[in-house]
Amino acid sequence: MPGFTLPLQLQLHFRCCQRLSQQPPLPNPISPKPFYPPVVPSVPRPRTGPGLRASFPVVSGSVFPEDELDVELGQLLALLPEELRRRVSDHMELPQLIEVVMDLGRKPLARFPSGDFVISEYPITVQDIEHATSQVGDFAVDNRAGISRTLHRISGIRNRKGTIIGLTCRVGRAISGSAKLLQDLIKDGASLLLIGPPGVGKTTIIREIARMLANDYKKRVMIVDTSNEIGGDGDIPHAGIGNARRMQVPNSDMQHKVLIEAVENHMPQVIVIDEIGTKLEAMAASTIAQRGIQLVATAHGITIENLIMNPSLEMLVGGIQSVTLGDEEASRRGVQKTVLERKGPSTFSCGVEIISKTELRIHRSLEATVDAILSGRFPNVEIRKMKSQEEEGSLDDGPVSDSSLQKNGEIMFEEVTKGADDQTSQNESLFKLPLDLVEDSWEHKLPLSLFCYGILDATVIQGIKQLKMNDAAIQLTDNISEANALLALQSKLKKNPGIQAAAKSHDIPIYVTKTTSLEHVTKAIRALVSDYEDGVKDFELTDKIKSSEMIDALEEARMAIEHTVILKGEPVDLLPRSSHIISQQLELVRKYQLEIRRISGESGVHLRILPSHYETDEVKGGETFEFDSELNELASNGQVNGSFNTMNKLPLLPE
């Protein structure tokens, strides 16, 4: 029609269609994929070439497509300026990127497992910080923000006026299979407490546990997500949690209230909590556990002992209280009258110490572990390792507790302790000896037997591993009479004179540390091994002297009894001996049902054997033995370790 013009919107539509029809078709067009967000246009795809990678490798068994992993990492890199983004994308270790650090006026850093990488020689400006903060969500009270539907965490540093002057952009990844080492415990419905230092992978493991419980075992799982680290930022949770539901916490101070709300309103079978850090949160977790709900939670620390010493979190392991024992019970235990004991049942049934991303230390009974630590004993520990194919041939052969998880050569279990009775035998093959200690036909010599007091078995094992010792070098024992050396915590050793007396009676050298830190324990072990290496021959000679002296002392007592006391009816004074040898002589005299006195003189303590019903009024300065009470007294004072070595027949010296 003359004079008729199309509306402006239709004109623009027709022009766009004409331009698209005139453009040549793109080679290998990629059809859009449903469900996955498009790649951020400003983020370049990784380029191929010498030293560069073509695509991101995916962890074996991952349930997340490669394109989605690329997109999520691209969304984090989009926070950087174009030049910085290109430098990071070209790095060979891009799939292992840990975090990007941007501080105002400083050079930006990208952190990889191999170390820090300086992205640019130019310092970060205010515009760079504003560009990054404009693309993330709002920063909460804890100065954390995120990118919607991703697991990345953006943490800010503010100045005194509240302005953000620094950013730590941490990469978040959902790794399928990261909780495979705990599959048997998860399946059994155990409540798990995961302990580890920051950055060791606690959140990654509990995210995978939540997915396994919800998808594989069809349980109703509710995640209480304080900082949106488990389910990601935004209202729609990340696919990494599977079918588990997520409750966000508006303020970290309200986490304990949200925990109770989750139980009362949503009827979950499992509650997953990240970073229990306050007494109120510990009390809420304890309340939930009493309602029969499975708990999975994390806490900052290195070992279970850290939780015991933490007044805010001790409730997670049952609480600690001071108990005063009676005289008889304190004497039976060989401890002071005031001791520490567990107050009540533990909130969690199992404890998991995360040593590294591939190694876990399992405490199957958390209550038994706490009781053992408080009493100075070694807890039962099970070490589980995940090994790669290239390491499979180099790892030591050890007892495997679950062969079904070993089929692909990925997981290795080591039973460090199965029980208190066989603890020593299980620890015999955990250590390696330096090459310089193998000289002089070491294989024909006995290994060093070590008795530890007040120091965790696991800490000693770590110290020995750091020294790279051989399997036959050191054996841990719970019988002090079999030990070559005593390694003890100084503060606990001072409170137990019985241990000191037992070590003295067996002529065992004592090595002490001021703390139970790995550094101090390792130094003590190094000094112990060095001294033992220098004195192996002296130790062997001392053992021969001890054995010879014991035989001489018993033969002396036997000859005195049979030839003088019984035949002639006269008392006999034996030679001064050590308390351990005197106890053996007492046992021998007891078999003959004779009277005996202990005489203290300038040269030491010796025994005087008297005939039965001997008139002793004229004998002064002696101490008459009532055998049962005196022997028990010797044992309780640490002069005799455990029971006496009862002899079936009397020893005879060779003619």
Side-chain angles (χ1 to χ4, degrees):
M1 244 185 215
F4 175 77
T5 59
L6 292 173
L8 179 60
Q9 292 182 350
L10 291 176
Q11 292 181 23
L12 293 175
H13 176 71
F14 287 139
R15 289 176 185 176
C16 291
C17 293
Q18 290 176 357
R19 290 180 181 177
L20 291 174
S21 62
Q22 294 173 359
Q23 291 180 354
L26 295 173
N28 300 326
I30 302 176
S31 59
K33 297 184 179 181
F35 308 116
Y36 304 126
V39 179
V40 179
S42 60
V43 180
R45 300 286 295 173
R47 303 176 300 171
T48 59
L52 301 179
R53 49 181 293 282
S55 62
F56 298 100
V58 183
V59 178
S60 176
S62 176
V63 296
F64 307 102
E66 181 178 354
D67 288 347
E68 186 172 351
L69 296 177
D70 289 357
V71 169
E72 290 189 7
L73 186 56
Q75 288 177 304
L76 180 73
L77 297 181
L79 304 180
L80 306 177
E82 180 67 28
E83 178 62 23
L84 305 185
R85 189 162 61 242
R86 183 187 63 80
R87 290 288 304 277
V88 176
S89 300
D90 290 348
H91 199 280
M92 295 176 59
E93 293 184 90
L94 181 60
Q96 287 78 42
L97 178 63
I98 299 174
E99 62 186 12
V100 177
V101 177
M102 295 191 297
D103 289 330
L104 185 63
R106 292 187 174 183
K107 299 176 183 178
L109 298 175
R111 289 176 176 162
F112 297 94
S114 60
D116 293 351
F117 170 69
V118 179
I119 306 176
S120 173
E121 295 298 327
Y122 297 99
I124 293 295
T125 62
V126 175
Q127 290 75 18
D128 297 332
I129 300 290
E130 292 177 350
H131 170 76
T133 55
S134 64
Q135 301 184 60
V136 300
D138 296 332
F139 284 84
V141 179
D142 57 358
N143 283 323
R144 290 182 179 181
I147 302 173
S148 181
R149 301 194 68 177
T150 70
L151 302 173
H152 308 313
R153 186 182 73 192
I154 316 300
S155 302
I157 299 176
R158 299 180 184 269
N159 61 12
R160 298 178 64 180
K161 298 180 180 179
T163 305
I164 295 178
I165 58 174
L167 293 174
T168 301
C169 309
R170 188 164 187 174
V171 180
R173 298 181 180 89
I175 303 177
S176 179
S178 57
K180 192 174 182 181
L181 291 174
L182 303 173
Q183 186 172 357
D184 58 328
L185 302 178
I186 299 170
K187 185 178 180 180
D188 294 341
S191 292
L192 299 178
L193 178 62
L194 283 73
I195 305 168
V200 79
K202 298 187 298 296
T203 304
T204 303
I205 293 178
I206 64 169
R207 183 187 300 119
E208 176 63 10
I209 291 175
R211 187 197 66 80
M212 291 173 62
L213 288 168
N215 290 16
D216 300 343
Y217 302 112
K218 308 302 179 183
K219 291 190 176 183
R220 299 188 300 272
V221 181
M222 182 64 73
I223 300 173
V224 177
D225 205 355
T226 308
S227 301
N228 288 350
E229 285 193 77
I230 302 178
D233 202 50
D235 296 333
I236 303 176
H238 190 270
I241 66 173
N243 296 329
R245 304 178 70 189
R246 188 262 300 267
M247 291 185 66
Q248 300 187 47
V249 181
N251 191 322
S252 58
D253 296 336
M254 298 178 60
Q255 176 168 308
H256 63 284
K257 296 182 179 179
V258 179
L259 284 171
I260 303 299
E261 178 187 340
V263 176
E264 294 177 346
N265 294 352
H266 304 287
M267 199 173 64
Q269 293 174 304
V270 183
I271 293 286
V272 179
I273 319 163
D274 193 16
E275 293 186 14
I276 296 179
T278 66
K279 199 165 190 176
L280 290 175
E281 295 166 6
M283 293 173 63
S286 179
T287 302
I288 293 172
Q290 293 174 8
R291 302 186 186 188
I293 297 176
Q294 182 180 356
L295 285 176
V296 180
T298 65
H300 283 301
I302 299 177
T303 63
I304 302 295
E305 194 172 15
N306 298 138
L307 294 184
I308 296 176
M309 301 303 175
N310 189 333
S312 300
L313 303 180
E314 65 176 23
M315 185 175 295
L316 298 178
V317 294
I320 310 300
Q321 64 181 356
S322 179
V323 177
T324 302
L325 303 176
D327 294 339
E328 183 177 350
E329 180 66 15
S331 177
R332 186 184 67 83
R333 296 189 187 185
V335 296
Q336 289 185 328
K337 295 186 65 175
T338 303
V339 296
L340 295 177
E341 289 187 353
R342 180 167 49 86
K343 184 183 299 183
S346 174
T347 304
F348 298 87
S349 56
C350 299
V352 180
E353 297 173 359
I354 305 178
I355 303 174
S356 67
K357 296 183 185 298
T358 59
E359 184 175 356
L360 305 177
R361 188 184 297 126
I362 311 296
H363 299 266
R364 284 187 173 270
S365 175
L366 192 54
E367 293 182 356
T369 294
V370 174
D371 293 341
I373 292 175
L374 293 177
S375 61
R377 294 180 287 107
F378 302 122
N380 297 339
V381 181
E382 179 182 324
I383 293 180
R384 300 185 177 183
K385 298 179 182 179
M386 180 178 293
K387 58 179 180 177
S388 59
Q389 294 291 341
E390 59 270 14
E391 294 175 343
E392 186 174 355
S394 62
L395 288 173
D396 298 335
D397 294 331
V400 179
S401 62
D402 193 342
S403 58
S404 63
L405 299 179
Q406 182 83 7
K407 294 179 180 178
N408 297 326
E410 294 179 350
I411 299 177
M412 183 182 68
F413 295 82
E414 289 184 3
E415 293 281 357
V416 178
T417 51
K418 289 185 178 178
D421 295 336
D422 58 351
Q423 179 175 3
T424 304
S425 61
Q426 293 296 332
N427 287 331
E428 288 179 349
S429 61
L430 292 179
F431 319 117
K432 296 189 181 246
L433 184 70
L435 294 177
D436 56 348
L437 295 187
V438 188
E439 301 175 1
D440 299 330
S441 65
W442 176 269
E443 62 274 9
H444 299 296
K445 300 175 181 177
L446 292 177
L448 191 154
S449 185
L450 181 62
F451 181 88
C452 300
Y453 180 72
I455 301 174
L456 287 179
D457 190 9
T459 306
V460 178
I461 291 175
Q462 280 188 308
I464 294 174
K465 285 184 177 181
Q466 283 200 352
L467 297 176
K468 298 179 180 178
M469 293 187 173
N470 198 343
D471 292 351
I474 296 182
Q475 295 179 1
L476 300 185
T477 179
D478 55 359
N479 188 351
I480 194 171
S481 63
E482 299 175 356
N484 301 116
L486 169 64
L487 180 61
L489 182 64
Q490 187 176 19
S491 58
K492 290 194 174 183
L493 184 65
K494 289 181 178 179
K495 297 178 182 179
N496 195 336
I499 291 290
Q500 301 179 41
K504 184 178 180 181
S505 66
H506 291 87
D507 294 332
I508 297 175
I510 301 177
Y511 294 81
V512 296
T513 63
K514 292 184 178 180
T515 67
T516 57
S517 66
L518 182 60
E519 180 183 0
H520 287 180
V521 172
T522 304
K523 287 182 178 179
I525 296 174
R526 184 184 293 112
L528 185 154
V529 172
S530 177
D531 293 346
Y532 186 74
E533 178 192 8
D534 296 337
V536 167
K537 295 182 179 179
D538 294 337
F539 282 152
E540 292 177 351
L541 182 59
T542 302
D543 290 339
K544 292 180 181 179
I545 293 174
K546 282 184 180 180
S547 177
S548 176
E549 185 180 0
M550 177 68 71
I551 294 175
D552 290 346
L554 294 176
E555 180 66 9
E556 176 196 8
R558 186 183 70 85
M559 296 289 290
I561 292 170
E562 294 182 354
H563 293 276
T564 305
V565 179
I566 295 178
L567 290 181
K568 300 180 181 180
E570 299 177 357
V572 175
D573 285 357
L574 303 180
L575 295 175
R577 303 285 185 179
S578 65
S579 59
H580 177 59
I581 294 179
I582 288 178
S583 66
Q584 300 297 318
Q585 291 177 328
L586 282 172
E587 181 72 11
L588 177 60
V589 175
R590 184 181 188 181
K591 292 181 178 295
Y592 288 91
Q593 298 181 353
L594 299 174
E595 296 183 9
I596 194 169
R597 289 195 176 192
R598 182 171 53 189
I599 308 299
S600 299
E602 296 181 357
S603 58
V605 179
H606 69 277
L607 298 181
R608 176 175 296 166
I609 307 175
L610 306 174
S612 299
H613 309 295
Y614 185 75
E615 296 296 334
T616 59
D617 294 339
E618 70 279 1
V619 183
K620 305 296 181 183
E623 181 181 349
T624 305
F625 274 92
E626 293 293 338
F627 279 103
D628 292 337
S629 61
E630 291 293 344
L631 292 178
N632 292 334
E633 181 183 354
L634 283 172
S636 64
N637 288 337
Q639 294 174 341
V640 181
N641 184 58
S643 61
F644 292 96
N645 298 324
T646 305
M647 305 189 64
N648 296 326
K649 60 181 182 179
L650 297 175
L652 293 176
L653 288 176
E655 296 181 359

